[in-house]
Amino acid sequence: MLAFLDDMQDAEELQSLPAWKAHVLTGDRRGTWSLSVTRNRRLTFRIDAVEREICDVDLEDYH
């Protein structure tokens, strides 16, 4: 996943991998992306549009 994120050119590429269940969070986490890693773990990150880089990467247990 990290290698894919490093190589991708546009966030829309995440939609081409349905198994990752890519989506942008809402509420106070608006703008943060989430990818499914395992049953209850998610890789979360933000995309800095100005610098065109991935930042604030975290592996979270959401339960």
Side-chain angles (χ1 to χ4, degrees):
M1 285 182 165
L2 295 175
F4 182 89
L5 293 175
D6 189 45
D7 287 341
M8 76 177 187
Q9 298 299 311
D10 187 72
E12 297 302 318
E13 292 178 46
L14 292 168
Q15 304 304 325
S16 68
L17 302 161
W20 288 0
K21 302 176 185 170
H23 64 282
V24 180
L25 301 178
T26 60
D28 62 342
R29 306 237 5 231
R30 184 178 52 198
T32 299
W33 280 85
S34 175
L35 303 178
S36 179
V37 177
T38 64
R39 187 178 214 175
N40 58 323
R41 295 215 182 259
R42 300 293 179 264
L43 182 69
T44 58
F45 58 93
R46 289 185 319 101
I47 300 174
D48 184 326
V50 175
E51 298 294 325
R52 297 188 51 121
E53 64 185 16
I54 304 298
C55 55
D56 301 330
V57 178
D58 195 10
L59 182 63
E60 302 183 29
D61 184 347
Y62 78 101
H63 282 294

